[in-house]
Amino acid sequence: MAAPDLHTLASVFGILGTIVSFLVLLAPLPTFYKIYKKKSAEGFQSIPYSVALFSAMLMLYYAYLKANALLLMGINSFGSIIETIYLIIYMIYAPSKSRIFTAKLLVLFNFLAYGLILGVSYQISNPFLRLKVVGWINVIFSVCVFAAPLSILRLVIRTKSVEYMSFPLSFCLTLCAVMWFFYGLLIKDLFVAAPNVLGFTFGMAQMILYLVYKNTKRPILPEYKLNEMPNRVAAANDEIILATENTNQTELKTGDTEKKKTSSDEADEDHDNQSQTRITNDRETSPESIV
């Protein structure tokens, strides 16, 4: 039986990569369903989805410039649509501060940066050089897509909790990186293969951290900086602090009352002693006591 040629292998890995990429894009669905049910996006971040949208748009442009790249065009078209939907849902339920931050990210990356890349690249008359420039830009931001979920890792390490970390997303990203690496390698496209080396590394790091902390339980509330603290944790901490302050104030008041009472009792006792001494002295010096 003849071994499959490189073109066939590349097609197989490309199709598998497309399938897994669909899973990657659909992996956040449980997260956004949770946001929809809670009517709140607090604790979740929009950075991974903002960067993913920008990278999908950039890869779509790269596939447009590159000949015979239907697989890349198809998956990145779907990616641009689904990431846009995620961001719309996030901005509906996010706090005002997070909503403003997300809007700034979209303006910065998806309008200003993307428009600048389009404008500058079209000034390059050589098609091969234009493809190469866009390819290197795509490598940079493809790495950012794999690294963007790492922003969650700091919160996971601090809280010892994986509540805001998606294991299906990390697993699919790792598998996706493997498929697209071999696809890029077989078609000899450095700009497709290179970012997925780091993608595999980052994905493994996320899965390992998830396995480390998935069963960890913390009986006390974690420490947060004020700008990192989810509202429900902040409220609980405020209640604990308020209760503690009330208890301390009650103890102080009780202690002061006891001290005042003790001082009053001591004063009364001294007064009685002085009165008794005075009576005794009077008796000793009175005429009846003289023999």
Side-chain angles (χ1 to χ4, degrees), residues 45-91:
Q45 298 184 14
S46 63
I47 295 176
Y49 310 104
S50 301
V51 176
L53 174 60
F54 178 68
S55 181
M57 293 171 60
L58 195 59
M59 180 60 85
L60 185 60
Y61 178 50
Y62 175 79
Y64 169 76
L65 296 176
K66 182 180 176 65
N68 300 321
L70 293 178
L71 289 174
L72 291 176
M73 290 190 68
I75 190 60
N76 287 286
S77 297
F78 178 75
S80 299
I81 295 172
I82 195 68
E83 295 295 345
T84 300
I85 294 173
Y86 289 155
L87 287 169
I88 290 173
I89 296 174
Y90 179 87
M91 294 188 71

Side-chain angles (χ1 to χ4, degrees), residues 8 10 26 51 53 62 75 93 128 135 194 222 226 234 237-238 246 254 283 285-286:
T8 303
L26 296 177
V51 176
L53 174 60
Y62 175 79
I75 190 60
Y93 297 110
F128 177 77
L226 184 59
N237 278 339
D238 290 342
N246 291 337
T254 304
R283 285 179 178 178
T285 55
S286 64

Side-chain angles (χ1 to χ4, degrees), residues 250-268:
T250 302
E251 290 177 353
L252 289 173
K253 290 180 180 178
T254 304
D256 291 342
T257 303
E258 291 178 353
K259 287 180 180 179
K260 291 179 180 178
K261 185 177 180 181
T262 302
S263 300
S264 177
D265 292 342
E266 290 177 353
D268 292 342

Side-chain angles (χ1 to χ4, degrees), residues 266-280:
E266 290 177 353
D268 292 342
E269 185 177 352
D270 291 341
H271 179 72
D272 292 341
N273 290 337
Q274 291 175 1
S275 299
Q276 185 67 30
T277 303
R278 189 180 300 111
I279 293 170
T280 303

Side-chain angles (χ1 to χ4, degrees), residues 85-242:
I85 294 173
Y86 289 155
L87 287 169
I88 290 173
I89 296 174
Y90 179 87
M91 294 188 71
I92 290 174
Y93 297 110
S96 58
K97 185 177 180 180
S98 299
R99 191 181 302 120
I100 293 172
F101 176 73
T102 303
K104 290 180 179 179
L105 283 180
L106 292 175
V107 171
L108 177 62
F109 286 106
N110 299 92
F111 290 96
L112 296 180
Y114 191 72
L116 181 63
I117 291 170
L118 290 178
V120 171
S121 63
Y122 264 102
Q123 301 303 316
I124 303 174
S125 57
N126 188 334
F128 177 77
L129 181 60
R130 181 192 304 162
L131 181 66
K132 188 174 181 179
V133 170
V134 175
W136 277 113
I137 296 174
N138 180 73
V139 167
I140 295 172
F141 284 98
S142 293
V143 171
C144 293
V145 170
F146 291 114
L150 295 178
S151 60
I152 304 296
L153 298 188
R154 181 170 176 269
L155 181 61
V156 172
I157 294 173
R158 285 177 59 85
T159 63
K160 305 295 188 294
S161 171
V162 294
E163 179 182 359
Y164 301 114
M165 184 177 178
S166 172
F167 181 81
L169 178 60
S170 300
F171 176 77
C172 290
L173 280 173
T174 305
L175 190 59
C176 182
V178 173
M179 298 301 173
W180 286 114
F181 168 76
F182 283 107
Y183 174 77
L185 186 66
L186 291 169
I187 66 172
K188 298 179 181 179
D189 191 331
L190 174 66
F191 304 121
V192 175
N196 291 287
V197 176
L198 289 178
F200 173 78
T201 304
F202 291 152
M204 289 298 298
Q206 293 175 58
M207 289 192 295
I208 291 172
L209 196 64
Y210 183 92
L211 294 175
V212 169
Y213 291 115
K214 69 175 183 176
N215 294 323
T216 302
K217 296 182 180 179
R218 288 188 48 118
I220 59 175
L221 292 172
E223 294 181 358
Y224 289 88
K225 293 180 181 178
L226 184 59
N227 59 350
E228 295 176 345
M229 188 182 297
N231 285 350
R232 61 178 183 275
V233 177
N237 278 339
D238 290 342
E239 291 177 1
I240 291 174
I241 293 171
L242 183 60

